[in-house]
Amino acid sequence: MSWLLAVVAGCRPSASVEQTLPVANLQTYRTVALRVKSTAFASQGHAMYLETAVINHLQQRCKFDQVGRASGAPADVLLDLNITNVARGGDGWVSNSSQASIDTLLVVSDGLNGELLGTARIRGKSSGMMLNNAPPESEAIEVVAKTVADVLAKSGCSGPRIARAEPTPETPVEPPPVTPGEPSVVPPDESRRAEAEAINEDGKVKLRGADIPGAIAAFQQANALLPDARYQFNVCLALEAQERWADAITACRAARSLHPQPKLVEKIDRRLELLQQHR
């Protein structure tokens, strides 16, 4: 009997998370819009179930004033959750057709200015035991939904709401003085700003759709066209989503060297602190 209890105790649903949240103080956000999509084959039904489960867990765990599906109405924070893979059988030596795993990519964005806040790769795994004849994917989905709420709770969603500071106009950041004998800094060609912004926005769309390589390429292209700390910081975020920790650190340091605005400096420094934990 003891061996049976040990087996049952080991058959528990679980989740693994690769992420660098918290990335912002979510206490300043009051409304949340959620978009769940699937890039995995034949899992649209799973996406609908996951969307409902995430909303339920966020309503229970967090203290946002409103949590709902993205419907076009503005929200303080936007959550894009993509199902990237669904599998059966487990990943151990013994295959178990009753065990399911679901891989997802969570991308968190500021709903007001569209800036990226962070990412999390979450894998939900079922217990491997059939429960009430329900498909094991349902249990794995519940694990992912609970983990999304847990991740956001670490960013302050469970605390009281506080007033969000009014955005202040950005002021040009003066580059450091040039030492005699060193080459002068060439100012960016602002005539390319519109093109670079469009490419940067395309990169955001790709990242939110779980096309990480496409996002990295777009952000790098925007930064090559017009060097900007915002574009380079997005390179850092996309590399992080790909779990390329050392490359992400290098990209964030490069963003830090491009004379970012003070608020972005804080985000970059915080990101670097969190990325160091993965080294």
Side-chain angles (χ1 to χ4, degrees), residues 210-268:
D211 179 7
I212 303 176
I216 293 172
F219 295 143
Q220 289 175 332
Q221 182 183 356
N223 194 61
L225 187 66
L226 182 63
D228 188 299
R230 294 183 300 115
Y231 308 153
Q232 183 62 28
F233 182 59
N234 287 343
V235 174
C236 172
L237 293 176
L239 289 168
E240 168 199 314
Q242 211 170 41
E243 300 177 18
R244 293 166 56 183
W245 311 120
D247 291 338
I249 289 172
T250 299
C252 263
R253 287 174 176 167
R256 190 70 165 76
S257 71
L258 291 173
H259 317 298
Q261 293 288 326
K263 287 186 177 180
L264 183 53
V265 170
E266 293 178 10
K267 291 172 66 175
I268 294 171

Side-chain angles (χ1 to χ4, degrees), residues 78-256:
L78 179 63
L79 306 179
D80 283 282
L81 187 60
N82 279 270
I83 299 175
T84 57
N85 188 54
V86 178
R88 281 271 190 111
D91 50 11
W93 287 99
V94 180
S95 178
N96 181 355
S97 61
S98 296
Q99 185 173 77
S101 63
I102 294 183
D103 294 316
T104 63
L105 173 66
L106 172 67
V107 179
V108 185
S109 306
D110 188 305
L112 300 183
N113 60 27
E115 294 299 327
L116 299 173
L117 297 177
T119 66
R121 295 176 70 94
I122 301 171
R123 164 176 280 193
K125 186 184 297 183
S126 70
S127 63
M129 301 177 65
M130 295 297 291
L131 301 175
N132 301 321
N133 292 321
E137 287 80 10
S138 299
E139 188 178 20
I141 285 172
E142 282 294 329
V143 171
V144 171
K146 179 181 181 301
T147 305
V148 169
D150 290 344
V151 167
L152 294 188
K154 294 178 182 178
S155 295
C157 81
S158 58
R161 304 298 88 195
I162 61 177
R164 184 172 183 175
E166 291 295 327
T168 55
E170 292 189 352
T171 56
V173 177
E174 294 294 333
V178 178
T179 303
E182 291 186 355
S184 59
V185 178
V186 179
D189 182 2
E190 289 296 332
S191 66
R192 296 185 168 185
R193 177 64 67 184
E195 183 181 358
E197 283 290 324
I199 296 171
N200 182 58
E201 290 301 316
D202 182 58
K204 294 179 186 178
V205 172
K206 285 182 166 60
L207 184 60
R208 292 170 183 142
D211 179 7
I212 303 176
I216 293 172
F219 295 143
Q220 289 175 332
Q221 182 183 356
N223 194 61
L225 187 66
L226 182 63
D228 188 299
R230 294 183 300 115
Y231 308 153
Q232 183 62 28
F233 182 59
N234 287 343
V235 174
C236 172
L237 293 176
L239 289 168
E240 168 199 314
Q242 211 170 41
E243 300 177 18
R244 293 166 56 183
W245 311 120
D247 291 338
I249 289 172
T250 299
C252 263
R253 287 174 176 167
R256 190 70 165 76

Side-chain angles (χ1 to χ4, degrees), residues 265-276:
V265 170
E266 293 178 10
K267 291 172 66 175
I268 294 171
D269 288 347
R270 177 57 175 155
R271 175 70 54 183
L272 284 169
E273 290 178 11
L274 295 167
L275 284 168
Q276 294 289 346

